[in-house]
Each structure stands twice: as structure tokens, then as C-alpha cells.
Amino acid sequence: MRWAIYILAVLVAVAIDSSLGGVLKIGDAQPRFLACVVVYAILSAPRAYAVRIAMLAGLLADLLSPTIRPDDSQLVVIGPWTLGFALGALAVLPLRSLLYHRNPISSGFATFVFSLLAAIVFVAVWVLRINLLSDESPSWWPGTGASEVWHQSKVAIANGVVAIPTVWLLDRSRGIWGFSTAKRLVHGAARETV
């Protein structure tokens, strides 16, 4: 896997999310292309890199999504999306053996699972932070954590829908990503490219 290509794809996804993402709203849920890029990389990269590449993208998501304080200053909290992306990666890893990773519909399902688990951890970390510090409010304040989980569930569905064409396009550039391919024997005479 070529890290430079992955980092460039993550930066492009973040730029699209922050600039054009509002155009693709499905109801009140704005899909995120960052999750699509991360899941595509997790499904294709070596297993040893999966959590690292997810946490790198989660760190970038934390850095670029500050919370506005009541005094109009910004608060950057590193951790909610980073840990959420790590759990999402750990959930998608077992799906690699169940799903055909080059199928966009399979990638859409994996993106939904990834996004949903990342959002649950995001809300849990913020609730824990509120209980420990009791002076910072998350971006969804004055709503509840449950309402944010519901909203993020709709975003996860939107991410899964958007992942189908996005992963299909990303798969067309598979050669520049540097993913290794190997043949492995499966039962019978068939061979599957990994």
C-alpha cells in the first residue's frame, strides 16, 4: 500500500466533505466521503495496517471538526473520531473474509457498519468527557446523546449509499494504490484474487 496515495485520498475526501458534502444531503443526514475512503483502504490493505489507517483518518476528522464554545472560541478534542474509527476498523476486519471486497455493494454495507460504530464511540467519548469535566458541551448540545446517535445512524445509512459509487470509482484507481494481490487456493479448481 502506498501511504502517500492514501493520505492524498483522505485529504481529498475531507475537502469534499467540508465543501460539497452539503449538496448530497439525504434528508438531514450529510454523507461523509472520508468513511468511504477509509473502508476501501481497510478492505484492500494488509490487515496489519487497518487500524492505523483508520486512526490516522479519525485524527484528521477530530482536528478538522472543532466544537464551538459558548464564548465563540473553538475547542479541538482529539479522540472521539480517532477511537471511533479504530473500533469501526476492528469491526470491518472480520467482514473482509465474509464480503467480496471489490464489490461496491459489499463496501457499502461495510461502510455502514464502520460509520455506525464510529458514531457510537464518538458519542460515548463525548458523554464521558461531559461527565468527567462538566464544563464542555459537544457539538450536538443542547440535544441528548441518544438523539445524536439516531442522527449519526441516518448519516451511517447515507454513508453506505454514497459508498457504492465512491468505492466503484476508487476501485478503478486500484493500480496506483499499490495493494498487493495474491492468488490463494479455494475449495475446488477455482482461484480467487485477493
Side-chain angles (χ1 to χ4, degrees):
M1 181 179 136
R2 294 189 181 108
W3 282 92
I5 299 298
Y6 173 71
I7 292 170
L8 179 65
V10 165
L11 291 174
V12 168
V14 167
I16 290 172
D17 288 344
S18 61
S19 60
L20 300 174
V23 174
L24 299 173
K25 271 191 170 180
I26 302 171
D28 65 340
Q30 178 178 337
R32 295 186 193 108
F33 288 93
L34 181 59
C36 304
V37 171
V38 172
V39 169
Y40 173 72
I42 290 171
L43 290 176
S44 301
R47 286 183 182 269
Y49 295 156
V51 176
R52 293 178 199 152
I53 61 179
M55 289 183 76
L56 177 67
L59 177 65
L60 188 61
D62 281 333
L63 291 174
L64 297 177
S65 59
T67 299
I68 307 298
R69 291 178 166 170
D71 63 353
D72 290 332
S73 63
Q74 294 183 354
L75 171 68
V76 175
V77 178
I78 296 175
W81 284 122
T82 306
L83 294 174
F85 278 31
L87 180 66
L90 289 172
V92 169
L93 273 174
L95 293 176
R96 283 172 57 137
S97 60
L98 299 174
L99 301 174
Y100 180 57
H101 64 273
R102 294 186 72 181
N103 183 344
I105 295 173
S106 297
S107 299
F109 175 73
T111 303
F112 165 72
V113 170
F114 174 86
S115 301
L116 184 63
L117 290 174
I120 290 171
V121 171
F122 171 78
V123 172
V125 168
W126 265 108
V127 168
L128 182 65
R129 181 178 167 79
I130 290 169
N131 289 332
L132 291 176
L133 300 179
S134 69
D135 64 339
E136 302 295 342
S137 56
S139 58
W140 68 79
W141 191 259
T144 64
S147 66
E148 182 63 14
V149 168
W150 175 248
H151 173 71
Q152 292 294 335
S153 299
K154 293 187 279 186
V155 171
I157 293 170
N159 287 350
V161 170
V162 167
I164 294 171
T166 303
V167 169
W168 182 81
L169 287 172
L170 286 172
D171 204 39
R172 299 294 162 251
S173 67
R174 187 172 187 81
I176 64 171
W177 285 77
F179 297 129
S180 62
T181 58
K183 300 266 187 204
R184 70 175 169 187
L185 290 175
V186 294
H187 297 292
R191 291 189 184 266
E192 180 184 355
T193 302
V194 180

